[in-house]
Amino acid sequence: MPRYHCRGGNINHGVEFCLSFGGLRADQTVVGALLEAVQPSGVEAALRAWEQVRSDRNHQRRTFELALEKARYEAERARRQYDCVDPENRLVAAELEARWNVALSQQAQAEARVQSLDSTTPELSELSRQRLLELGAHLQAAWDHPAAPVQLKKRILRTVIEEIVVDVDEAKQELVFRIHWNGGVHSTLRVHKNRRGKHQRTTDRQVVELVRELTQVCTDRSIASILNRLGYETGAGNNWTESRVRSLRISQQIPVFDKDGPRVWITLADAAAELKVHPSRVRKMIEHEILPARQVVRHAPWLIKPEDLQRAEVRAYLSGGSMKRKTPRHDSGQSVLLPVSGS
């Protein structure tokens, strides 16, 4: 919204270059400075706006009332002329009657305008006045209100700000804003500069690490389903899809899941297929800690090391042995389960 002039360069070589930075944080910073600068005048402006609204409404009603008075006078005048005409003079009587009908129609239209103004214009009560004063004292709320027109905001910024010069402090990784206000006053603001590739829409690091773990056993489509069940969103606030997971993997250089490649981990279903048993039996072994397994987060697939399928405890259970619980289970609400060490 404001007009920025960017500058920067290598002092030793005298090379000028253009700066590139995200506009959202810059706009928020400048708007904050603007509202802080005009805050003392907020209440006074609110009172003036209150009086202006009342004055405009009264002026409009007075205009409509004058128009109504004139229409009533013309209608009454046309009636008197019609009453004075000789009934036998039919041509004149017909003309005067038509004029009277037109005057009555104009009177009706004027009355309708006054009634419409009274019905559509809310009464400016003391509560409305108090609300207006509150907005004057809290300009941020008025600025962020959905009904505040964007064009009006731009006009305000262009009225009070002449230009904004932006430089960069590489040592502190900050953007330096020098605001030139209309009237000759200058002010300086500093804003933290995002690192390259980092911005407010960047995906959370926890999600990136989760995807890195899940790609060991899951396809992109399965990962998207898990992330949505866990309530995670993209940096832009969207739900996850297969294509968005793929884009994240590519940007973070995370390899795609290869079901035919060497496997460090396998899923519960893979283990059941390997042991040739129903998946419920594998789950029971996990629950009773006969088969070590880990779950990155809740709703994620169980991760099992292929070599653990050869454990003596596993073979004993599959051959009909009893199950003995070794240690208490973790709390069911725990989202991350640590791997169980082998015996």
Side-chain angles (χ1 to χ4, degrees):
M1 292 165 57
R3 180 180 58 181
Y4 299 99
H5 292 276
C6 304
R7 69 184 183 187
N10 188 314
I11 298 177
N12 295 329
H13 297 85
V15 178
E16 294 286 337
F17 59 86
C18 182
L19 300 179
S20 176
F21 56 90
L24 178 60
R25 183 178 295 179
D27 285 350
Q28 291 174 343
T29 301
V30 172
V31 168
L34 166 68
L35 298 180
E36 183 179 357
V38 302
Q39 185 68 44
S41 303
V43 175
E44 181 182 355
L47 291 174
R48 290 184 179 178
W50 165 261
E51 295 299 332
Q52 184 64 43
V53 169
R54 292 185 59 185
S55 176
D56 291 346
R57 183 175 182 276
N58 292 336
H59 177 73
Q60 186 178 24
R61 180 174 178 78
R62 181 55 181 164
T63 301
F64 286 176
E65 287 176 346
L66 290 175
L68 177 57
E69 290 179 8
K70 181 180 180 181
R72 287 173 175 171
Y73 170 78
E74 294 294 338
E76 179 62 21
R77 181 167 175 267
R79 184 191 66 79
R80 292 196 303 268
Q81 291 177 343
Y82 177 77
D83 290 343
C84 293
V85 70
D86 185 355
E88 295 183 359
N89 194 344
R90 296 181 180 179
L91 291 178
V92 175
E95 177 65 22
L96 292 177
E97 184 179 11
R99 293 181 182 180
W100 185 17
N101 289 333
V102 171
L104 289 175
S105 175
Q106 292 176 347
Q107 177 182 335
Q109 293 175 5
E111 290 174 345
R113 282 196 297 267
V114 174
Q115 293 176 358
S116 176
L117 178 65
D118 292 339
S119 61
T120 58
T121 304
E123 185 65 27
L124 299 177
S125 62
E126 182 60 28
L127 180 62
S128 300
R129 181 177 183 274
Q130 186 62 33
R131 177 57 178 161
L132 191 60
L133 291 177
E134 290 177 0
L135 291 177
H138 302 86
L139 294 181
Q140 186 70 56
W143 186 275
D144 295 335
H145 196 280
V150 176
Q151 295 299 327
L152 177 59
K153 296 179 183 179
K154 291 182 178 180
R155 287 177 57 190
I156 294 174
L157 286 167
R158 291 166 183 164
T159 300
V160 299
I161 298 177
E162 181 178 346
E163 67 174 356
I164 302 173
V165 179
V166 185
D167 209 337
V168 63
D169 187 337
E170 294 291 355
K172 296 183 179 180
Q173 282 294 298
E174 292 180 336
L175 294 171
V176 183
F177 293 83
R178 294 181 177 86
I179 304 178
H180 297 176
W181 304 90
N182 282 322
V185 178
H186 307 296
S187 59
T188 302
L189 301 174
R190 286 179 170 267
V191 180
H192 177 72
K193 184 176 183 293
N194 290 326
R195 294 180 180 179
R196 180 172 297 180
K198 301 294 182 181
H199 48 79
Q200 292 182 339
R201 295 163 66 96
T202 303
T203 301
D204 190 279
R205 195 67 203 171
Q206 182 180 0
V207 176
V208 175
E209 294 305 319
L210 178 57
V211 172
R212 193 183 304 277
E213 290 278 345
L214 292 176
T215 50
Q216 300 180 68
V217 293
C218 293
T219 62
D220 292 345
R221 178 176 295 182
S222 298
I223 294 174
S225 177
I226 293 171
L227 293 177
N228 289 330
R229 286 202 299 270
L230 291 172
Y232 288 112
E233 296 180 340
T234 67
N238 298 317
N239 292 331
W240 287 95
T241 62
E242 181 179 1
S243 61
R244 287 169 180 159
V245 173
R246 184 185 307 114
S247 299
L248 176 63
R249 281 196 307 95
I250 295 173
S251 65
Q252 298 295 326
Q253 299 181 349
I254 301 175
V256 67
F257 169 66
D258 183 7
K259 64 178 181 179
D260 298 324
R263 304 282 295 277
V264 178
W265 299 93
I266 60 175
T267 64
L268 185 149
D270 295 332
E274 181 72 20
L275 297 173
K276 299 180 180 180
V277 298
H278 193 273
S280 62
R281 301 196 67 188
V282 178
R283 185 178 296 277
K284 286 184 178 180
M285 287 192 290
I286 295 174
E287 291 176 352
H288 290 81
E289 300 186 356
I290 294 174
L291 178 62
R294 65 186 294 260
Q295 195 177 29
V296 181
V297 292
R298 198 180 188 87
H299 302 301
W302 285 100
L303 304 182
I304 303 169
K305 290 185 177 181
E307 56 268 25
D308 285 336
L309 299 181
Q310 307 303 321
R311 292 167 59 94
E313 295 91 336
V314 174
R315 293 300 177 183
Y317 167 72
L318 295 178
S319 62
S322 61
M323 296 184 296
K324 295 183 180 179
R325 195 180 189 88
K326 294 182 180 180
T327 57
R329 296 295 295 167
H330 296 288
D331 181 73
S332 60
Q334 186 172 347
S335 60
V336 179
L337 303 180
L338 300 177
V340 180
S341 58
S343 59

